[in-house]
Each structure stands twice: as C-alpha cells, then as structure tokens.
C-alpha cells in the first residue's frame, strides 16, 4: 500500500499544473528555522519560503496576532476603514523615505502598481509620450505581463509574447550602457538594489548613485524593487538605506506579512499627488488578517538591534562559508543574510543532496545556491548549515 506521503505526491502529480519541480517530500509543520516532513524528517530551512519567513515558522507572537484577528474580522474590502491597515501604512512611512503606501497581494502586483503610478505621474506632468520603463539584465520583477516585460529571461518571456511594449533592458551595473538607453520618454527606471533570482548580485554604490542622477536629469522616477532584498534581509530595514540612495517608489512583498501574501508600494508625496479616488484598487489587499500580522513583522524587524544582529550573522555566515574551501565553490557574495554561493556543479544536484543531509536549499540560476534563511537563524544553526553544506560538497 502506498504511504500517505506517496499519496500526496501522486495527487500533486495528477491534479496540479506542472509548473514547479517540487522536492520529493511533503512538508507538514515548522518551528523557528526548522521544517518537518510527513515522515518525521527534520530540515534546517535555508530558504525561508524564498526569503519570506523572516521570523521563521510558527512564531508565537505572529500566531497570536493571527488567531486573535481571525476571531475578530477577516475581510471587509478596501471600501471600509480597518485599524491594522492604517497603522501598518504609518509604520512603513515612519521607517522609510515614503509619505504614502498602497497595498497589494504579491510582489508582481506591487510592481504592476508602481508602473501604473509612474506612467500616471509622467502623463500628468509631461504629456502622453513619456511611457517607457527601463529595467536591467538579470532582473526579476514577477510573472504578470508588465512585470514579465521587465524580467528579461527567454524561458519566462518567450511563450507569452507580445509583452507590455515600451520596456527597455539596460546592462546591470553599467552606467554608460544605461545612459545610452535613457531618454526623456522614460517615466521610470526599476532596479533591485540586490538582485535575488538573478543570482544574488548587489548593485554597486556608484551605479545606484548614477541611476539617481540619470533619473533626475531625465525627469524619470526611480523604483527600487526591494521585494526580496528589503525588510531586513541585508541587515538594513530597506536595502537602499545601506547605500544612502533614495528612490521615488519602493515595492515590498515577500517577508512583509511573515508568510501571508502581501505586497506594498511605498512612494513620495509627489507621486501620491497624481493618484486619485478610483484610479487603482484591490479587493483583498491589506485585509485585517494579513495587516495585523504584518504590523508585528515590521515592528520586530525595524528594531535597530534586530537589524544589527542580521548584519553580524550575515558576516559570520560569509566567513564560515569562505572557510569551507571546497573546490566546488567558485565565489561567495551577498550582504546580510542574502548570500549567493557560485558552484562549478549544478545547484540542483547540491539541493537534492542537501535534502538527504537535512537542508532546505534553493538556487538562483543554474550554478548558484541562494542562502536566504529566516533572519532569526542562530549562530549554532549557521554552524550546522555550514557543516552540512561542507558534507554535501565533499560527497560530490
Ligand atoms: C519574488 C519577487 C518578485 C515577485 O513576487 P511575487 O510575490 O512572486 O509576485 C518581484 N521582484 C523580486 C525582486 C522578487 O524577488
């Protein structure tokens, strides 16, 4: 007789659209940085649900916030006021450059909104012709049509053309190359200060500073997609705060509500000024349930002591990784707890072996491991991660 685990794997294979190559086990519950499958095996979580579960699994404060709110009010739509929504918006503005927030339900949706606001802003101030958007090689902004147009990867784009017109791709970290595609018809430049999916590539400080100048010269808005690198991941609440360069719009999502779906578009007042009642919306966004949890997530992560700890643990993880000294590691880079490990073998092989060693790992491109553990990971757990990874690499 097939086991319950085999039954679940079989159901997925038969009934779920096969757009993911899922790991061959079924996760059942989690606690802190640990995940447990239906066979009782424990895994150290080095992925955090793709940089989402910043406070780990089953955090007691988040569980309490969620269950208390669940017994009170779940959903009323954005036609009505609710307290968590308004308080969360204030928190995000108080901890950033922003004057206003619009909430969404995912990262892609936040970027779609950011593009719409940028086009509206440009149209209002400069007329009909200023609609182009500049994005970068190696970028990932999401799977919806506009976000996809700004995500230059053949495998993602080719089957779905035509994409949103008017998106230009410039070379990442190459200011002269970017200046060459800039023009007065550009309404916005969108960039991840640290590219995630593209392989954990930080923008250089000179590049971000140069983009700020280019945007100002051409009256374009600078959008930072901090969906992956924001919310404490780099050891700064917002990655750009580590660079000292300020955008006009910032998009956030992944860790914002600790694992519940939520996105946000943060903006300055001059952007907010062009958006009026009825011009954008969302049925679900920032409902009381997700917003009540997000309030706790933002409060915890914005604590300077928490952020200093992320920076220190990021440095520690980087040091320990460099000590591994495996011939299979060709480069280690990143900032805070967002680290890419380049390999001379397929990341997929290391990920599969990692499962047998009790590690949940993910990749960012074919040859790069992406280490984005919960931000609450302890030094002892970092040691274990490194020991197990060393064991995996030694086996190859
Ligand atoms: C994950 C991601 C997105 C898309 O977010 P979804 O919630 O999957 O739509 C956009 N930008 C960046 C940088 C991301 O990492």
């Amino acid at each position: 007789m097939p086991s319950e685990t085999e039954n679940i794997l079989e159901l997925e294979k038969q009934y779920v659209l096969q757009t993911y190559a899922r790991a061959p086990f079924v996760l059942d519950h989690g606690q802190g940085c640990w995940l447990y499958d239906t066979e009782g095996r424990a895994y150290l979580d080095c992925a955090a649900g793709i940089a989402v579960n910043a406070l780990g699994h089953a955090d007691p404060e988040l569980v309490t916030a969620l269950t208390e709110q669940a017994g009170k009010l779940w959903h009323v739509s954005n036609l009505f006021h609710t307290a968590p929504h308004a308080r969360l918006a204030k928190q995000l503005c108080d901890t950033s450059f922003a004057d206003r927030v619009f909430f969404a339900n995912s990262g892609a949706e936040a970027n779609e909104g950011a593009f719409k606001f940028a086009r509206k802003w440009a149209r209002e101030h400069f007329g009909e012709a200023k609609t182009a958007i500049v994005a970068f090689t190696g970028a990932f902004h999401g799977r919806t049509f506009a976000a996809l147009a700004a995500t230059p990867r053949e495998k993602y784009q080719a089957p779905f053309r035509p994409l949103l017109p008017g998106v230009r791709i410039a070379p990442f970290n190459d200011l002269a190359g970017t200046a060459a595609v800039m023009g007065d018809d550009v309404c916005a430049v969108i960039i991840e200060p640290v590219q995630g999916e593209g392989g954990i590539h930080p923008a250089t400080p000179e590049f971000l500073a140069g983009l700020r100048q280019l945007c100002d010269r051409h009256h374009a808005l600078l959008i930072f997609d901090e969906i992956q690198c924001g919310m404490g991941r780099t050891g700064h609440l917002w990655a750009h705060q580590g660079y000292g360069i300020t955008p006009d719009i910032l998009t956030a999502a992944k860790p914002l509500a600790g694992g519940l779906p939520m996105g946000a578009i943060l903006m300055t007042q001059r952007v907010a000024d062009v958006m009026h009642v009825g011009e954008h919306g969302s049925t679900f966004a920032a409902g009381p349930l997700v917003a009540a949890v997000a309030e706790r997530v933002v409060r915890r992560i914005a604590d300077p002591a928490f952020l200093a700890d992320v920076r220190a643990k990021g440095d520690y993880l980087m040091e320990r990784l460099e000590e591994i000294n495996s011939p299979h590691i060709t480069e280690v880079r990143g900032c805070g707890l967002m680290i890419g490990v380049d390999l001379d073998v397929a990341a997929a092989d290391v990920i599969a072996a990692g499962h047998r060693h009790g590690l949940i790992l993910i990749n960012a491109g074919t040859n790069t491991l992406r280490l984005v553990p919960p931000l609450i990971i302890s030094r002892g757990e970092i040691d274990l991660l490194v020991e197990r990874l060393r064991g995996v690499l030694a086996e190859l």
Side-chain angles (χ1 to χ4, degrees), residues 50 106-109 111 140-143 192 196-197 225-228 253-254 370:
I50 319 184
S106 69
E109 201 187 316
N111 284 337
F140 183 85
H141 297 297
R143 307 284 199 150
E192 298 155 81
E197 175 100 5
D225 177 343
E226 295 216 15
I227 288 164
Q228 189 161 161
K254 288 187 164 84
R370 165 168 36 171

Side-chain angles (χ1 to χ4, degrees), residues 111 115 133-159 161 163-164 167-172 190-192 195 197-198 225:
N111 284 337
F115 292 158
I133 292 163
V134 172
F136 294 93
T137 51
F140 183 85
H141 297 297
R143 307 284 199 150
T144 52
F145 270 106
L148 185 62
T151 299
R153 208 159 134 194
E154 261 320 276
K155 185 176 172 184
Y156 295 167
Q157 291 186 340
R161 295 203 166 98
L163 305 172
L164 179 83
V167 178
R168 288 180 207 155
I169 304 301
F172 185 71
I190 183 165
I191 185 167
E192 298 155 81
Q195 287 188 339
E197 175 100 5
D225 177 343

